[in-house]
Amino acid sequence: MHNKSIAQLSASLRGGEFSSTELVRHYLERIKNLDERLNCFVTVAGDQALQAAEMADQRLREGNAGPLTGIPIAHKDIFCTSGVKTSCGSRMLDNFVSPYDATVVERLQNAGAVMLGKTNMDEFAMGSSNETSYYGPVHNPWDTDRVPGGSSGGSAAAVASRLCSGATGTDTGGSIRQPAALCGITGMKPTYGRVSRYGMIAFASSLDQGGPLTRSAEDAAHLLQAMVGFDHRDSTSADEPVPDYSATLDEDLRGLRIGLPKEYFDEGLDSGVGDAVMAAVDEYRKMGAEVVDTTLPNTGLAVPTYYVVAPAECSSNLSRFDGARFGYRCDDPDSLEDMYVRSRGEGFGPEVKRRILIGTYALSAGYYDAYYLKAQQTRHLISDDFKQAFDKVDVIMGPTSPTTAFAIGERSNDPVTMYLSDIYTIAVNLAGLPGISVPTDLVGGKPAGLQIIGNYFQEAKLLNVAHRLQQVTDWHLAVPEGF
Amino acid sequence: MQWETVIGLEIHAQLATRSKIFSGASTAFGAEPNTQACNVDLGLPGVLPVLNREAVRMAVRFGVAIEAELGRRSVFARKNYFYPDLPKGYQISQFELPVVGRGQVEILQDDGTAKTIGVTRAHLEEDAGKSLHEDFHGLTGIDLNRAGTPLLEIVSEPDMRSAREAVAYARKIHQVVRYLGICDGNMQEGSFRMDANVSVRPYGDELGTRAELKNLNSFRFLEKAINFEVERQIDRLESGAEVVQETRLYDADKDETRSMRSKEEANDYRYFPDPDLLPVELDDSFIASAVKDMPELPDAKRQRFGQEYGLTAYDAQLLTGSEALADYFESAAREAGDPKLAANWTNGAVSAALNKGGLDITSSPVTASMLGVMLKRIVDGTISGKIAKQVFEGMWSGDGTADEVIEAKGLKQITDGGAIEKIVADVIAANPRQVENYLAAEAAKQQKMLGFFVGQVMKQSRGKANPRQVNELLTKKLRG
C-alpha cells in the first residue's frame, strides 16, 4: 500500500481495493513501528485521522470524492491546525493549539486529504538539518546517523520512509528543496504568493512559501493543485490563474532550453553530487533539450543577503511570542520585563535567538542603511540575474545542495558552514521564483537532488520537466533500506 | 529675556470605519473586554493583516481637505517594541512614505486675522489595546478590543506660538475630521487624542529642546498643559538649568506635567517595511471616488455665511464649529426668513441651553424648525423678542411648538392700540410724582426717564405689549 503513488492510491480507493480507514490504519501502524528511529512526527493525530478517514470513505461510497479524498498526508508543524497542537518545533509553542486552520490545511482538507499528524522541523524553520528542533533531531532514513536536511526535515524523512503519501513543507531559503534532496524525494517551492501564507507561522514573511514534499513530480502536482490559489486573507497572495498541473506533465521537452549557471558548479560542490546532476542533465539532452551555459553573477551575494533579510524579518515576526497571550510563559515572573526576558530566554532555542539578535542588530538605528537597506539592494541584483538568465533559457538546473546528507552533530556548532548548505537554494527565495528538487542517482549510496528553477508562476513547466526525468529514470523510486 | 513658545501637535484621529484597519473585527466602542478582537487582532501565530480600503479612503479625504500632497505610493512599516497591549510586538504604521504628505490649515487668531499652520504629514496606523491596572490585584488586565482600530496620525509643523494657537489648530483639525465624517471626534472615548511638542527659545533663536506632552484629552487640558509646561521650561532656563528631551504626562488633577520617560530610555523602534502588506498605490479613480461626496468644508462655509447671510466673522466662525450646528442654523434661518436673528438665537439661547444641559446640537429638544417658527413669530410681530425667551424655554421643556406655547401661556403680543392706551393711561394716573419729574426734566433726561414708564406698562401687560407702540403712546401721552 505505502509504495503506491498518490494517483495509484486514489484509484485504489475509488476502485474499492481498500478503504481510506484501512489505508490510514496502515500508515499509523508504520509510524508506530518506524518513527521511533526517525522522529519525523511531533504529533500523531491518530483519532482525528481515523475520523477523517471514515468521512472520506463515506464520500467515496457516495461517489462525491474530491481529488485527494482519503489520501493520508502530514503537515509540517508550522501550519496551524485547529484542535491539534502546532509547535513550530519550539518549546515556545509546545502548549499551543491554534483556534483556526491555515489556508493550506483548510484547502487540503477540502480536497479530501486526511492529516495523519504534524511533522518535526527546525525550530521556527530556522535550520538546515532539523537539529534545532525542541523535539530532537530527525534522522535520515537512508542513514539514521545523518541529518534529513531542514527545516522541513520531518516531512521529507516521513515521505522518504513512506510514513505518509505526501507532506506539506515550507521553504524560506531551501527548507523544502534541501531536505527533499537529502532524503531522495521530490520537493517544490512555488512562486512567492502562489500558496497562501495565512496560518503558516511566519519566519521571514517576504521569503516564506509553502509547498509539497512527495515521492514524485506527479504526486507533487496533485498536492500542489489543492494548495495553491488566491487567498484574500494573505495580501501577498497572487491573484493569478491556476493551471491544471497534471494536464501538462507529459509535455514533450524537445527544444527546452536548460541553463546551467557556472556559479552552481564551483569548488564548493561535492564532485559526486556534481556528476549525478550532470547525469540527469544528460537525460534531458537525450530527450531533445538544449543545454546552455548561463551565469548568475551575483550568486555570491545570496547567502549574506539572506542572512540579513531573513533574520531582520524574523526578529520582528517572533516578537509576538512574549508569554502574554499564548505559548510558553516562565514560572512566577516578578515583573513585566522578567516575564519577557525569561519567557523568551527559556522558550527559544539558541539558533532562534542567534537570528533574532542578528536581525535586531541589522534593523537598529545607525545600522539599518548598512545592512537592511543594502540587503534590499543586493536582493534586487540577485533577482535581475535570474531575469536576464530567463531571457535566454526556459529553466535553470543545478545541484540542490552541495553535498549529500551530513552527520548529525557535524555542523551544528558551525553556523556558517551550515548556512552554506543552502547556497544554491537561497537565491530562488530572494527572487521569489519557483524551484523543485528531484532525486538524482544515489551518490555513494545516499540521495542527492537536481534543482530545477523556473520563471515566475511556471510551476506547471517545472513539474512537467521533473516528471519527464522520472519517466526515463527510476532514481525517484529508490527506497531506504529498512523502511 | 523675552521667550518665544514653539508648539507642534500630533493628533491621533480614530477613523470611523466599521471594521478594523487590518481585520474584519468591529470597531464599536464599549464592548466587553476582548470580545471584539479576532485572531488577527490577537496577533496569533500565522495570522496576516489585510488592509481596510475604507481607512485609506478616509485618509485621502483628509488629505484633500487640507490641500495636501497625497502619497501616491505609501508603505506600511512595522514599529517594533514590546508592550503587553501590543499583541504582535510591533505596531503597523507608516514611516518613510505616508499616505498624506505636506498640507495646511488656517486658524483664526485672537485679533481676527488668519494664520496658516503647516501639516507635515498624516499617516495610517493601527491602535494598540488597553492595559487595565485596576481590579486585578497587582496584575495587569489586557483588553484588545481597541487593538487594530484605524488611526490617522496628523503631525503638524512647529508653527504654533501659544497655547491658544495650539487649541485653535486642534479645534480646526477636529472640525475638519468631523465635517468629513471620518472621525466622531469623541475625546472621552479616545477617538481624538492630542500630544503636544513644546519648547521655548529666546526670540529669533534656534529651536529649543522640546518636551512631548501626553494625556491631553480635552482642548482645555491641552491649553493648560502647554501653559504649565512653557512656564516650567522658562523657569528652568532662567535658573540656569536645561530642558531635557523627554515625554511628560499631564496630570489634570494637579494641573502639572511630570516626566514619563527620557530620550535615553526611548525605544529604537527599528522601523522597516511590513513584508505582509503591499505598498498602497493611489490611482486617480480611487482618489476621485474618495472625494466624490466631499462636504462643504468649514472655511468655505464660514466665508459663505459671511457673504450670503451678512454675519459677522465671529458669528460665522461659531456657527460653522460643526456641520450639525451649521445645518441647524441654516434651516432655522430659512424658516424664520431672518438669518441674523437665527444666528443670534443659535449662538445665544440655543448654545447656552445646550451647554447647561450638556447636550449636543443633534439632541437639542428645540429642533431647527421649531426655532425657525418661533423666530418667524418675532418677525411677524406675534411676540416680542423678550417674550420669545419664555416661548423658547417652554419649547425646551417640552411644552410643544412655539405656537402651542404662545397659545397655552397667552403670550401673544398686545398690538391693539386701545388696550395699550388704557394701560398707558393707568400707569400715568398711578404715578403722578414721576410724571411731574418727567415733565420738569430736560429733553435728554426725559428719554432716560421714559424707561420707568415703559417698565411699568410692560409689567402690567405681563410683557406682552408691543414695545414700539408702548414707547410711542407713552411719549405722546406724557407730553400730552
Side-chain angles (χ1 to χ4, degrees), chain A residues 100 199 235 316-317 320 325 340 365, chain B residues 42 44-46 49 78 80 87 268:
Chain A
Y100 74 100
S235 309
S316 175
N317 282 333
R320 68 188 61 195
R325 296 167 312 287
Y340 285 154
Chain B
L42 295 173
L44 285 184
R78 293 184 184 179
N80 295 284
D268 174 0

Side-chain angles (χ1 to χ4, degrees), chain A residues 80 96 99-100 197-201 205-206 232-236 313 316-317 319-321 325-326 336 340 344 360 363-365 368 372, chain B residues 39-40 42-51 78 80 82-84 86-90 96 144 268 270-273 275-278:
Chain A
C80 286
F96 178 67
Y100 74 100
R197 293 187 294 114
Y198 188 78
M200 198 175 105
I201 298 177
S205 312
S206 75
H232 66 90
R233 291 173 295 191
D234 174 1
S235 309
T236 63
E313 292 183 11
S316 175
N317 282 333
S319 293
R320 68 188 61 195
F321 305 106
R325 296 167 312 287
F326 47 75
L336 178 63
Y340 285 154
R344 289 168 67 81
T360 303
L363 289 175
S364 295
Y368 181 86
Y372 186 80
Chain B
N39 292 345
V40 174
L42 295 173
L44 285 184
V47 297
L48 296 170
V50 177
L51 179 61
R78 293 184 184 179
N80 295 284
F82 285 99
Y83 204 69
L86 185 72
K88 299 184 295 295
Y90 57 83
E96 283 178 332
L144 294 176
D268 174 0
R270 307 188 310 280
Y271 280 99
F272 75 106
D276 288 333
L277 289 160
L278 303 174

Side-chain angles (χ1 to χ4, degrees), chain A residues 338-467:
Chain A
D338 185 47
M339 179 180 88
Y340 285 154
V341 169
R342 284 202 289 126
S343 297
R344 289 168 67 81
E346 294 162 17
F348 290 138
E351 182 62 27
V352 170
K353 286 181 198 162
R354 178 181 296 127
R355 298 201 196 188
I356 290 174
L357 286 172
I358 293 170
T360 303
Y361 183 82
L363 289 175
S364 295
Y367 298 98
Y368 181 86
D369 288 2
Y371 293 101
Y372 186 80
L373 213 55
K374 183 63 82 183
Q376 295 303 322
Q377 290 160 355
T378 52
R379 187 173 179 176
H380 273 292
L381 295 177
I382 290 160
S383 296
D384 285 347
D385 278 3
F386 283 105
K387 208 173 156 197
Q388 280 169 26
F390 281 121
D391 283 343
K392 300 192 184 83
V393 303
D394 300 308
V395 294
I396 290 168
M397 288 188 188
T400 305
S401 183
T403 64
T404 56
F406 44 91
I408 291 175
E410 187 185 318
R411 297 183 187 173
S412 43
N413 293 320
D414 182 359
V416 174
T417 309
M418 185 75 93
Y419 296 168
L420 287 173
S421 59
D422 294 328
I423 190 162
Y424 305 132
T425 47
I426 273 175
V428 176
N429 297 78
L430 290 168
L433 293 164
I436 190 168
S437 178
V438 291
T440 62
D441 199 359
L442 296 178
V443 176
K446 292 194 286 292
L450 165 74
Q451 180 177 219
I452 314 169
I453 303 163
N455 215 333
Y456 298 102
F457 300 102
Q458 293 289 302
E459 285 80 9
K461 175 52 72 185
L462 291 186
L463 290 164
N464 163 225
V465 172
H467 178 66

Side-chain angles (χ1 to χ4, degrees), chain A residues 279-300:
Chain A
V281 171
D282 279 341
E283 294 297 328
Y284 286 107
R285 276 206 188 90
K286 285 186 220 161
M287 288 185 263
E290 181 193 336
V291 177
V292 186
D293 283 335
T294 188
T295 178
L296 299 169
N298 292 297
T299 296

Side-chain angles (χ1 to χ4, degrees), chain B residues 176-436:
Chain B
V176 169
V177 295
R178 291 185 65 211
Y179 265 67
L180 293 170
I182 64 173
C183 172
D184 67 18
N186 189 324
M187 296 195 187
Q188 278 75 47
E189 293 177 4
S191 302
F192 190 89
R193 308 199 285 267
M194 302 168 289
D195 300 333
N197 284 303
V198 178
S199 64
V200 297
R201 63 180 174 189
Y203 269 93
D205 239 20
E206 300 279 298
L207 282 175
T209 305
R210 67 171 194 270
E212 187 182 3
L213 310 184
K214 292 215 176 260
N215 197 30
L216 313 171
N217 49 21
S218 76
F219 295 126
R220 200 165 63 93
F221 291 162
L222 173 67
E223 184 166 357
K224 292 177 87 164
I226 292 173
N227 283 332
F228 174 88
E229 180 61 19
V230 167
E231 271 190 41
R232 188 189 70 86
Q233 290 187 12
I234 291 173
D235 282 352
R236 282 187 72 84
L237 294 171
E238 288 188 338
S239 66
E242 283 187 334
V243 172
V244 187
Q245 187 174 334
E246 62 184 352
T247 303
R248 297 179 69 85
L249 203 65
Y250 178 65
D251 182 335
D253 294 334
K254 294 185 184 155
D255 187 24
E256 62 176 33
T257 65
R258 59 169 180 271
S259 184
M260 209 172 126
R261 58 174 180 261
S262 73
K263 192 189 174 194
E264 286 70 36
E265 298 164 58
N267 281 302
D268 174 0
Y269 291 118
R270 307 188 310 280
Y271 280 99
F272 75 106
D274 191 332
D276 288 333
L277 289 160
L278 303 174
V280 181
E281 311 270 357
L282 297 180
D283 58 27
D284 291 340
S285 70
F286 182 84
I287 295 168
S289 80
V291 301
K292 204 174 57 195
D293 50 352
M294 284 281 272
E296 182 183 29
L297 290 167
D299 288 349
K301 205 183 271 287
R302 198 184 70 228
Q303 278 166 18
R304 180 169 65 80
F305 279 14
Q307 284 160 11
E308 198 176 318
Y309 302 128
L311 304 183
T312 62
Y314 180 76
D315 276 345
Q317 166 85 354
L318 282 182
L319 288 173
T320 52
S322 80
E323 204 174 22
L325 184 66
D327 288 349
Y328 184 97
F329 155 72
E330 282 201 282
S331 70
R334 232 184 346 263
E335 183 81 45
D338 186 339
K340 281 191 181 173
L341 188 64
N344 289 340
W345 274 84
T346 308
N347 282 337
V350 176
S351 289
L354 288 172
N355 279 345
K356 199 174 159 198
L359 293 173
D360 188 63
I361 187 71
T362 53
S363 48
S364 169
V366 175
T367 64
S369 121
M370 284 164 78
L371 180 71
V373 169
M374 187 197 82
L375 299 179
K376 204 155 67 180
R377 295 293 169 256
I378 300 177
V379 175
D380 67 18
T382 308
I383 52 172
S384 66
K386 205 164 178 183
I387 284 291
K389 293 206 167 68
Q390 285 182 55
V391 178
F392 181 79
E393 277 163 25
M395 292 196 295
W396 191 269
S397 31
D399 297 344
T401 64
D403 290 338
E404 284 163 1
V405 173
I406 292 167
E407 181 63 34
K409 297 196 177 168
L411 296 175
K412 200 166 170 190
Q413 185 162 257
I414 300 168
T415 50
D416 170 8
I420 297 175
E421 222 176 303
K422 190 178 174 297
I423 302 172
V424 166
D426 288 352
V427 166
I428 288 174
N431 297 285
R433 229 179 50 213
Q434 278 83 351
V435 173
E436 211 171 293

